Amino acid sequence: MQPRTPFVLCVLLSQVLLLTSAEDLDCVPGFQQKLFHINQPAEFIEDQEILNLNFSDCKGNDKLHYEVSSPYFRVNNEGGLVALRNITAVGKTLFIHARTPHVDDMAELVIVGGKDIQGPLQDIFKFARTSPVPRQKRSIVVSPILIPENQRQPFPRDVGKVVDSDRPEGSKFRLTGKGVDQEPKGIFRINENTGGVSVTRSLDREMFATYQLFVETTDVNGRTLEGPVPLEVIVIDQNDNRPIFQEGPYVGHVMEGSPTGTTVMRMTAFDADDPATDNALLRYNIRQQTPDKPSPNMFYIDPEKGDIVTVVSPALLDRETLENPKYELIVEAQDMAGLNVGLIGTATATILIDDKNDHSPKFTKKEFQATVEEGAVGVIVNLTVEDKDDPTTGAWRAAYTIINGNPGQSFEIHTNPQTNEGMLSVVKPLDYEISAFHTLLIKVENEDPLVPDVSYGPSSTATIHITVLDVNEGPVFYPDPMMVTRQENISVGSVLLTLNATDPDSLQHQTVRYSVYKDPAGWLNINPINGTVDTTAVLDRESPFVHNSVYTALFLAIDSGNPPATGTGTLLITLEDVNDNAPFIYPTVAEVCDDAKNLSVVILGASDKDLHPNTDPFKFEIHKQTVPDKVWKISKINNTHALVSLLQNLNKANYHLPIIVTDSGKPPMTNITDLRVQVCSCKNSKVDCNAAGALHFSLASVLLISLFSLACL
């Protein structure tokens, strides 16, 4: 058996010439020449033929239609490629697409010396002119398949044919890859006997721009004989996507008075078509401006970059003279480099003319009047100003300052944030008797500084005349509070002091009368004419109405006005202590066991309501304890405490022990208090004092009762 000669496997869409002899096929559908080269001319002349194209679908070319990748060229009825107008630079490559109901094919024109204006375009279609690459041990020629997107019915549609010039009898073609047996499945298929490749539905370049397929031949058992050979399917872009503005809303700001040519904002659109073609080459234009005053063309947009700039003079860009400081522009983006055949997308741009502080605030009047009653505080007048700037900015908001006439800081001025008015207030009560009139000079400025060519003028200052109204003011005590020091227990009727209250209304010549307002203990009296205060009761420092040795009373001074006015004064009486309180002991009850080994009974403490030195040290004694009955003992512990103890155990009973306690005052005060001592039975950790109910009298007590009985006979 003779060895097989190398066979040639060639992928043929309607774009690819079969690399077989004329004896194999009588007619090859598609362009008879697919690759052309010309030198870049100085200029392509309108309607002058550049080259002639030879296309055949082998069925009469019925309904033949041509498309050129550049909008500046077309193919005439004779197959001649001509320019639509005089043009110099069109790029390095042109693609010519021809189709009939039976065949689609693509030819490529390489312009030697042409300037690459589209960049990636040639990279995407570089496979279209890739020469077949021979492999060792086999002759396989592979060229990409170029299929326009959005083809119409009918489907399936033949798009090419795979030919093996030396294919063994009974072998079959197999097609694999994305679009065949991988997702998205079923787009392409191959006739296993003839090698015809077909597409089953319309393609969308924006979903898949390319498909990588593989072709191989197999024997009857499915074993691979040749391949796999990569087959690249490139989807040719159609202009089927409108430009879209994706970044809205579009809001721009420009300062009023900005120079002509100031950039406001940039608007760019997105086109999903092939960025290497004019299908995604965008041009921008302002379709409409609202409002159209003072000029219908206030702004211009760079057709390529999308930058919006001002085109009017700074004088026309005056916010205060504009009908509306907000403009809305309808901006359109058109693909195909802005040609009429291009698709259009629109968006709205909002441009705000921002305010600058080119107008100073001005008072609506040169002088303002205000009246205020003496002694009153609060807002007395609102000062109004005018400002043409934007009320939402610091160029409009006013700041007021008192620059003259306020030495005592009796006045303050603040800005009303809603009205921008200046609220002039009295913060320290005014006195009519001191000054019945006040004159203030006030200036107004903006929060933001003025622009350099604008300054504050005379209208930015105003004079305020303030009239103080006289009111009947209450008399005023001086001093207040009034203070006096006296010993407690002074005799009733003692004069403490004479109060002094004066009427501030010196020009009214009114009289003043006095009265007691608050005297908690009822100790005081006041002369209504001259204000002399004397006592009506004994002053007691230990009274609950006295706090920290100070007694507080309030007095009224009433003038003779109509209606009368009243003033209140405070009298603080500091009471000096005298020894008028005897000390007392605590506790007054104690318990002790009848068999106690420790004969200590109780520790006594003493207290005194007076102050030192009329208190401790205290002296503790047992009152009149006879010698035969001496069973008690009292011992000093310190200045305020003493210990009571037994000299021997006593029987169960209640005992009353008179205790004498004496303070250290001069003269001293003494108090006698009975200490009740219960002698109880204490056995088995139980204390029983029930049997101690009967009183046990000492011998001295018996003698005293006997003497009392004799005296009554």
Side-chain angles (χ1 to χ4, degrees), residues 41 214 383 390 445 475-476 499 516 523 551 563 567 585 666 671 673 701:
F214 297 92
L383 310 181
D390 185 356
E445 297 177 338
V476 178
L499 303 183
V516 177
W523 291 344
Y551 181 70
I585 64 168
K666 294 183 180 180
N671 184 24
T673 303
S701 301

Side-chain angles (χ1 to χ4, degrees), residues 149-165:
E149 65 173 332
N150 303 324
Q151 287 182 313
R152 296 186 294 272
Q153 292 283 357
F155 291 104
R157 180 190 292 260
D158 292 334
V159 293
K161 189 174 184 180
V162 176
V163 176
D164 185 351
S165 60

Side-chain angles (χ1 to χ4, degrees), residues 224-251:
T224 300
L225 298 177
E226 291 292 339
V229 176
L231 172 59
E232 185 86 10
V233 177
I234 299 175
V235 183
I236 301 174
D237 186 43
Q238 302 292 315
N239 191 20
D240 59 345
N241 288 277
R242 293 181 180 276
I244 299 174
F245 290 91
Q246 297 178 319
E247 300 176 356
Y250 296 91
V251 180

Side-chain angles (χ1 to χ4, degrees), residues 43 56 116 189 351 392 425 440 507 513 528:
E43 186 177 31
S56 175
D116 190 355
R189 61 191 183 190
I351 298 178
T392 64
S425 303
L440 304 180
L507 301 180
R513 295 181 63 84

Side-chain angles (χ1 to χ4, degrees), residues 344-604:
I344 297 175
T346 63
T348 299
T350 301
I351 298 178
L352 302 174
I353 311 301
D354 291 338
D355 187 38
K356 64 180 179 181
N357 199 7
D358 55 351
H359 294 86
S360 62
K362 297 178 180 180
F363 283 102
T364 57
K365 296 189 294 186
K366 193 63 181 174
E367 295 184 348
F368 294 84
Q369 306 290 331
T371 58
V372 59
E373 291 184 348
E374 65 172 330
V377 295
V379 177
I380 60 174
V381 65
N382 291 310
L383 310 181
T384 54
V385 295
E386 294 178 344
D387 195 317
K388 296 181 180 180
D389 291 314
D390 185 356
T392 64
T393 67
W396 178 82
R397 290 190 292 270
Y400 298 87
T401 306
I402 302 173
I403 58 177
N404 195 17
N406 191 28
Q409 305 301 308
S410 299
F411 302 92
E412 287 184 359
I413 188 166
H414 301 280
T415 304
N416 186 319
Q418 280 73 42
T419 65
N420 214 32
E421 295 176 345
M423 301 182 297
L424 181 63
S425 303
V426 176
V427 294
K428 293 182 180 180
L430 303 177
D431 192 339
Y432 171 85
E433 285 70 30
I434 296 178
S435 177
F437 301 96
H438 296 268
T439 301
L440 304 180
L441 185 62
I442 295 179
K443 71 174 181 179
V444 61
E445 297 177 338
N446 289 130
E447 290 183 1
D448 292 348
L450 295 173
V451 296
D453 55 342
V454 178
S455 60
Y456 295 104
S459 297
S460 296
T461 59
T463 302
I464 294 84
H465 300 285
I466 302 165
T467 301
V468 182
L469 302 178
D470 188 24
V471 296
N472 187 23
E473 301 172 88
V476 178
F477 285 90
Y478 182 82
D480 189 27
M482 300 153 284
M483 291 180 286
V484 65
T485 301
R486 294 289 186 272
Q487 276 193 346
E488 64 174 331
N489 301 333
I490 60 175
S491 58
V492 175
S494 298
V495 175
L496 299 181
L497 81 167
T498 298
L499 303 183
N500 178 32
T502 58
D503 190 347
D505 302 308
S506 57
L507 301 180
Q508 298 184 21
H509 305 291
Q510 299 179 132
T511 59
V512 176
R513 295 181 63 84
Y514 300 92
S515 66
V516 177
Y517 179 40
K518 287 186 179 180
D519 179 16
W523 291 344
L524 305 176
N525 175 64
I526 188 169
N527 186 305
I529 305 301
N530 60 23
T532 299
V533 179
D534 56 11
T535 63
T536 60
V538 175
L539 307 184
D540 183 7
R541 193 197 68 83
E542 291 75 33
S543 167
F545 300 106
V546 177
H547 303 283
N548 296 324
S549 301
V550 177
Y551 181 70
T552 301
L554 302 180
F555 295 88
L556 298 179
I558 307 168
D559 65 20
S560 57
N562 186 19
T566 301
T568 303
T570 302
L571 174 61
L572 302 178
I573 305 173
T574 300
L575 297 176
E576 295 179 342
D577 186 44
V578 298
N579 195 18
D580 58 347
N581 288 277
F584 57 90
I585 64 168
Y586 59 89
T588 57
V589 177
E591 292 181 355
V592 65
C593 294
D594 56 358
D595 58 352
K597 296 181 180 180
N598 182 0
L599 298 180
S600 297
V601 177
V602 66
I603 294 177
L604 297 179

Side-chain angles (χ1 to χ4, degrees), residues 282-300:
L282 305 183
R283 292 295 181 262
Y284 299 95
N285 178 54
I286 296 176
R287 176 189 296 179
Q288 181 180 334
Q289 169 191 302
T290 305
D292 59 358
K293 302 290 175 39
S295 168
N297 299 303
M298 299 285 288
F299 306 95
Y300 166 80

Side-chain angles (χ1 to χ4, degrees), residues 29 64 92 103 164 202 208 242 260 339 392 423 430 485 566 631 699 711:
L64 173 61
K92 292 183 178 181
V103 176
D164 185 351
S202 177
F208 295 98
R242 293 181 180 276
T260 303
L339 294 179
T392 64
M423 301 182 297
L430 303 177
T485 301
T566 301
V631 295
L699 180 59

